[in-house]
Amino acid sequence: MGTYRFETMEDFMKAQLRRYVSVFLLFFAFLCGAAAVTHYSIPEEMEAGSVVANLATDLGLDVKTLSRRKMRLDIISSKKYLEVNKETGELYILETMDREYLCSSKTATTCFIKMEVILDDPVRIFNIEIEIVDINDNAPQFRRDTIHLDISESTPAGERFSLSNAVDPDIGSNSIKTYYLSESEHFDIEIQTGRDGSKFADLILRRVLDRETQAIHNLILTAVDGGVPARSGTASIIVRVLDTNDNAPKFDKDSYKINLMENSPIGSLVVKLNSTDLDEGLNSDIVYSFSLYTSEKTQETFHLNPDNGEIRVKEMINYEDFRIYDMEIIATDKGVNSLSGQCKVTILITDMNDNHPEISIKSFSSPVKEDIAVGTVIAVVSVSDKDSGENGQIDIDISDELPFTLKESSDNYYELVVSEPLDREKVPEYDITFTVTDRGKPPLSDNETMTLELLDINDNVPQFPQSFYTIQVVENNAPGALLSSLTAHDPDLHENQYLVYFIIEKEIANTSMSMLFSINPENGNLYALKTFDYEIEKEFLFHIEARDSGVPPLSSNVTVHIIIMDQNDNTPLIVSPWRAHGSVVEEKIPRSTDKGTLIAKVIAIDTDSVHNSRITYQFLQNTDATLFSLDQYNGEIRTMRMFSYRDSRHQRLVVIAKDNGEPSLSATVTIKLSTVETALKTYADLTEVPLEYDIFSDLNLYLVIGLGSVSFLLLITILVTIVLKCQKAKPSKAAPPCRNSVISERNSTIADSTLVSNDAYWYSLFLAETRKGKLVVRQPVPKGARYIVSSIPRSTGLTETSDSAASTLQYSK
């Protein structure tokens, strides 16, 4: 018989269909006379629309009459899988059929579908049987995808274990044929055949199991059927090896060395011991305990957790008390026949910097004098620390800003020594802080502060805020008036700081300073003892001393410059024109006087200071304001026009001289002018007349007499001045000079004048022309003294002095 290969399942099914139909048709033809049942055989799973057979041909029916005779199928089944084509008489598949569904019984070797073909006119019934032939359309399948087996590791080799078998709905050769097991060095299978021909497998233990080596074995069991092509199904076998207590607990290390810091908090973890037992369950549950070789001190200090092996601090640990703890730990499992293991634990206590360094003052001297010598020991201190190593090494320091230093005298003993000169006035006391620090990490420190008080010595002289005082005092002050407070400061203490003030005696013009001024010895208030007059005394220069009460006393002095300030207390004094009696001056002038002619010149002096002695002139009364003018600065009275016949022969002029003070003071002079019709020459004409020309008149006579007198006075003045300069006599400050003044004899004609100021003195210069020459007054005139009139020849300037005699004129205040 030849071998045929099919490319697809469809080709295979078609070939089978043709073979089965042919066989049954032959069989039907052979038995058609003996039976009335028509048999067909088709494979399962044929596609819908596939033709099974041509019933019209097989049953000998006319195809053309099938529709008329209402050919139909009556299937003895709950579902209609086949149908007849009335046009062609073909029996075809209406719905795919599954043999395993239609014939679910595994014992049935054949599967049929019975039906009847019914025709009318005439009625005929044909019995049809269709056999559904099995194909290999189902793979073997295990009832459970995973099979669990528990096998003790103590099970001997050769032990057999039943496995659930696989099932295949197909029959015959398409059913399960054999089993395969995945590769394993511990397991194998044996295939068994049941009475119904089914196949099943037993699992055989070939080698003893060790749970500690491999606790789980994963196997794959495969079932294969006999179909072509063959189909298979798999199941997972999980073998869990059951433990027996065959392993003792074992620690990770046989001995442990633990470094533990002292003062670790109670309850802190020291170490967690790890003991392993390869067994499982109760056989691997471990209980930890101290052995009998562990001391009671160790068991009191540390706590061992029996369940997890944690060793924790039970009591406070102090390195200074106990430094090493030894213990032996036992680990025991909970198996029936318990096994155990042990290890040694050594705990080394590490010193912690938990003790502060301490400082002790052994000796201390306070107070001390501020002039204590550099290098003197004023204190001795000692330091200590209970810790060890670097934690017990101590450094001691004081502030670098202090004038002290520390010197080590012996082990842990230090001396405090003065390193710089002390000054109580800068720092009266020192807070000396000793800071001790150990070298631990982190370092601990402590400090001790002591106060060093300094005693004062008299080492500071009194100091005035200024070295020179300028005090201004207004004249006419009240006696006893406070001028200023001159206070010195002494930074010393107590009697070294108590000051007494003195005026250093000095005589001025035979007058002692203590007669003019007084100072309060306790507070330095300076008082005036008299009323000062600026015109007499303008300044004073003396010294004041401040002396402390120390032993020996120290002192310093200061220069005081008293400046007397002027007040406007002097009334201007009119010195020209000269008034012999009263304040009225009578003058005669020619009526033919030209415009601008100098008629008279009013000169006043004021003994006050420059500002208060500035004098201005005004007309207080003028008979005819259009006739005369007055220069307000030099006091010159001049004609503004020539006299007319309408003008009165008598003119009355009242001139007021006012100073510049506040309030202003003044003086007045009355000038009566009389015009004459005589042939009297004017002053200008007289100067042009030669001296040899003799004009005998009253005016000339007066001028000659006056000139002679003034020349005589001038000569005397020059001689006196020369003598005084040769003797270099000093002027008296008690009688300061007053302002210069210029006067002329009445009836003299005044030509020019100049007023000059120098150092609060007024110098007055006026020139009077006569036939003999010029008159000038240039001499300081004190209050109440005389006015000196000097004569200068006409031919000389203001810088030349004539040899004429001088004359002295008195005036009333």
Side-chain angles (χ1 to χ4, degrees), residues 98-100 102-104 108-113 130-133:
D98 185 4
R99 191 199 70 83
E100 288 77 25
L102 294 175
C103 302
S104 59
T109 57
T110 60
C111 181
F112 294 97
I113 295 178
I130 296 178
E131 181 183 5
I132 306 301
V133 179

Side-chain angles (χ1 to χ4, degrees), residues 55 66 69-75 80 83-84 86 115-120 123-126:
L55 291 180
L66 295 180
R69 297 182 66 181
K70 298 180 181 178
M71 184 178 182
R72 57 190 180 277
L73 290 178
D74 184 12
I75 298 176
K80 190 174 183 180
E83 186 58 83
V84 176
K86 296 177 182 181
M115 64 184 70
E116 294 178 347
V117 179
I118 302 173
L119 292 90
D120 295 338
V123 176
R124 291 191 67 181
I125 299 175
F126 298 94

Side-chain angles (χ1 to χ4, degrees), residues 257 477 577 584 599 604 650 711 730 773 807:
K257 283 190 176 182
N477 58 289
V584 179
I599 303 301
H650 300 284
S711 299
K730 296 182 181 179
S807 64

Side-chain angles (χ1 to χ4, degrees), residues 707 767-770 772-776 790-794 796:
L707 182 59
L767 300 176
E769 288 203 20
T770 65
K772 301 294 184 178
K774 296 181 179 179
L775 293 178
V776 63
S790 300
S791 175
I792 302 174
R794 291 179 58 188
T796 61

